[in-house]
Amino acid sequence: MAAIERLTIGILGGLGPYATVDIFRKILDQTPARFDQDHLHILIDNYSQIPDRSAALKGCGPSPIPAMLEAANRLCCAGADFILIPCNTAHVFLPELRPHLKIPVLSIIDATAAYIAKHYPECSRIGLLATSATLSFGLYAGKFKELLVPDPIDQEQLVMEAIFGRLGIKAGHFDVPRELLLKAARRLVDAGAQAVILGCTEIPLVVRADDLPVPTVDPNRILAQTAVEYALNGHNLTKSKQLIS
Amino acid sequence: MAAIERLTIGILGGLGPYATVDIFRKILDQTPARFDQDHLHILIDNYSQIPDRSAALKGCGPSPIPAMLEAANRLCCAGADFILIPCNTAHVFLPELRPHLKIPVLSIIDATAAYIAKHYPECSRIGLLATSATLSFGLYAGKFKELLVPDPIDQEQLVMEAIFGRLGIKAGHFDVPRELLLKAARRLVDAGAQAVILGCTEIPLVVRADDLPVPTVDPNRILAQTAVEYALNGHNLTKSKQLIS
């Protein structure tokens, strides 16, 4: 039997930078390793200059697509075999990106939906904390029996404020955003959510798995785990086929 | 006045992988940023497959130089303006690497020595926790009035065991290595060290700044800070000139 070639992971990062650190660490945590050399080859382009995805989708900022393509091509040229994008909102642009890329992209949305279907088959009402763009472009829509999201006021004053506010996560704060997000999450639980997706990669930076009385689902951790399985099993892996372009 | 061009940081990583996560995060923490876009462009090649530096220097493993050159060239081709290597021991190979590189490397050793000279001018006796290779190749030798290192038994049974042991940091453990390293550090303090350099980038992963009664010096944090200043000030910076090749 031929040795299975391990694949090189490419992380199209910087959106945001701390979410990129987070997935990098989660990939290491989920790689069976005794020595440095057991770890995977990971290329990261932390290209923070990619224009803001939410602003672009509201029509008040430039498209991130050219810069995302630029970073993806750098990763491809450097030897990445596939790409991860640790940003839920950026997946709105995935259908436009994929035709221009020579290597596959593992979708954080599809990986998360597959994980929930496998691990929480009994949960029919799934709560979602995410950017307004992720909600309005329906990235997680149709993936579950019922999807619960915050009402428009909570969405703006709790979730978006926690991510983008002056004291928000993207500005390097953690305590205020944590309180805002826990308030929004608890309201989803009160409304019947049986699990809550932390569907913006900034959110797991401040909300922990044991913060809620129901399971929290961290798409960045799931994407890391999916990437490790994919990279370790090389080109022979078939079960992740549905996750790639 | 022309706008100052911000430089792209290249991290030659994977030696070890968690030290690479650590410097990535420390770069972000030290970058003044309100939005993602304020952060720097950082390229990371987490090339864990680079052969073990300590083993090579003991003559019982292949040279890491070809793989380090490969990673450095990938970073250079992808657009890095300068390179950081978050591994003290790897700096033994720097004189052999530099002539082959088109871009400068900021030295973790020189950055640390400059930092101590500036911030702790009153400290003449500096303790050093580092790999046996870093010690025997004298990377920090001659930088301070007096350098205190563990005796050979402590070096092997405490420091090297904490880094490379079966329950060591490179194997993903943290509690046992922490105790071993604190024991070695306290003995340096008892012997008169007025500050202790955590001179292997695995060590600050488990030893905190407030763990000792004297200041601890974290070369990975200092290298991150030096890199941020260098990248933000672009080609106009002169004060770091002594740090680059």
Side-chain angles (χ1 to χ4, degrees):
Chain A
M1 200 179 78
I4 294 174
E5 184 196 350
R6 287 157 57 127
L7 301 183
T8 295
I9 299 175
I11 302 178
L12 199 169
L15 14 80
Y18 282 102
T20 309
V21 171
D22 185 54
I23 196 167
F24 183 12
R25 187 179 178 107
K26 283 170 178 164
I27 288 171
L28 301 185
D29 286 346
Q30 292 179 82
T31 306
R34 163 82 172 84
F35 300 103
D36 288 353
Q37 291 73 21
D38 299 329
H39 280 280
L40 291 158
H41 187 196
I42 306 167
L43 297 165
I44 303 176
D45 190 338
N46 185 72
Y47 197 32
S48 314
Q49 289 63 39
I50 294 170
D52 186 74
R53 289 63 62 198
S54 285
L57 292 167
K58 278 197 295 186
C60 49
S63 166
I65 292 180
M68 289 178 74
L69 272 177
E70 197 190 307
N73 285 327
R74 267 195 297 268
L75 291 167
C76 185
C77 289
D81 291 304
F82 65 96
I83 284 177
L84 314 178
I85 307 176
C87 171
N88 291 261
T89 312
H91 282 64
V92 171
F93 302 98
L94 207 52
E96 288 176 81
L97 286 171
R98 276 179 164 157
H100 301 283
L101 301 180
K102 292 183 196 135
I103 52 176
V105 179
L106 294 195
S107 160
I108 198 169
I109 312 292
D110 293 344
T112 302
Y115 179 91
I116 291 175
K118 182 176 175 188
H119 294 275
Y120 301 110
E122 73 289 1
C123 295
S124 56
R125 310 185 84 187
I126 305 290
L128 174 61
L129 295 177
T131 65
S132 299
T134 294
L135 301 188
S136 60
F137 282 82
L139 285 180
Y140 283 98
K143 307 279 185 191
F144 317 103
K145 276 197 189 141
E146 196 176 342
L147 191 64
L148 300 180
V149 301
D151 67 40
I153 294 173
D154 278 8
Q155 177 62 26
E156 202 53 45
Q157 295 181 353
L158 301 178
V159 183
M160 291 299 275
E161 188 63 22
I163 300 168
F164 292 98
R166 194 173 55 78
L167 294 175
I169 304 167
K170 285 192 184 285
H173 299 280
F174 297 97
D175 294 341
V176 171
R178 177 176 157 76
E179 289 313 310
L180 296 175
L181 289 163
L182 287 180
K183 197 167 173 183
R186 286 190 199 108
R187 288 191 183 162
L188 292 178
V189 175
D190 290 345
Q194 298 162 298
V196 175
I197 301 173
L198 311 177
C200 164
T201 51
E202 316 292 337
I203 299 178
L205 303 177
V206 300
V207 175
R208 292 189 303 267
D210 57 355
D211 274 333
L212 295 178
V214 301
T216 57
V217 175
D218 172 3
N220 229 18
R221 197 191 62 74
I222 294 164
L223 184 60
Q225 185 181 333
T226 308
V228 169
E229 285 170 18
Y230 193 62
L232 287 177
N233 290 285
H235 295 287
N236 294 343
L237 197 77
T238 55
K239 69 175 177 176
S240 289
K241 268 193 181 158
Q242 81 277 15
L243 300 179
I244 66 171
S245 62
Chain B
M1 199 178 80
I4 294 174
E5 183 197 349
R6 286 157 56 125
L7 302 182
T8 296
I9 299 175
I11 302 179
L12 198 169
L15 15 79
Y18 281 102
T20 310
V21 171
D22 185 54
I23 197 168
F24 183 13
R25 186 177 180 110
K26 283 170 178 164
I27 288 171
L28 302 184
D29 286 347
Q30 292 180 83
T31 306
R34 162 82 173 82
F35 300 103
D36 288 352
Q37 291 73 21
D38 299 328
H39 281 279
L40 291 158
H41 187 197
I42 306 166
L43 297 165
I44 303 174
D45 190 338
N46 185 73
Y47 197 30
S48 315
Q49 288 63 40
I50 294 171
D52 186 75
R53 287 65 62 197
S54 286
L57 291 167
K58 278 197 294 187
C60 49
S63 166
I65 292 181
M68 288 178 74
L69 271 178
E70 195 191 309
N73 285 327
R74 267 195 298 268
L75 291 167
C76 185
C77 289
D81 291 305
F82 65 95
I83 284 177
L84 313 177
I85 308 176
C87 170
N88 291 264
T89 312
H91 282 63
V92 171
F93 302 98
L94 208 52
E96 287 176 80
L97 286 171
R98 276 179 165 157
H100 300 282
L101 302 180
K102 292 183 195 134
I103 54 176
V105 179
L106 294 195
S107 159
I108 198 170
I109 311 291
D110 293 343
T112 301
Y115 180 92
I116 291 176
K118 182 176 174 187
H119 294 275
Y120 301 110
E122 74 287 2
C123 294
S124 56
R125 309 185 85 185
I126 305 291
L128 174 62
L129 295 178
T131 65
S132 300
T134 293
L135 301 188
S136 59
F137 282 83
L139 286 179
Y140 283 98
K143 308 280 185 188
F144 317 104
K145 275 196 190 143
E146 195 176 344
L147 191 64
L148 300 180
V149 302
D151 67 41
I153 294 174
D154 277 9
Q155 177 61 26
E156 201 53 44
Q157 294 181 354
L158 300 179
V159 183
M160 292 299 276
E161 187 62 23
I163 300 168
F164 292 97
R166 196 174 55 80
L167 294 176
I169 304 168
K170 285 193 185 285
H173 300 278
F174 297 98
D175 295 340
V176 170
R178 178 177 157 75
E179 289 313 309
L180 296 175
L181 289 163
L182 287 180
K183 197 167 173 183
R186 286 191 199 109
R187 289 192 181 161
L188 292 178
V189 174
D190 291 345
Q194 297 161 299
V196 175
I197 301 173
L198 310 178
C200 164
T201 52
E202 316 291 336
I203 299 177
L205 302 177
V206 301
V207 175
R208 291 189 303 267
D210 58 357
D211 274 334
L212 295 178
V214 301
T216 57
V217 175
D218 172 3
N220 229 18
R221 197 192 62 74
I222 295 165
L223 184 60
Q225 185 181 332
T226 308
V228 169
E229 285 171 17
Y230 192 64
L232 287 176
N233 290 286
H235 295 288
N236 294 342
L237 197 77
T238 55
K239 69 176 176 176
S240 289
K241 268 193 182 156
Q242 80 276 14
L243 300 179
I244 66 171
S245 61

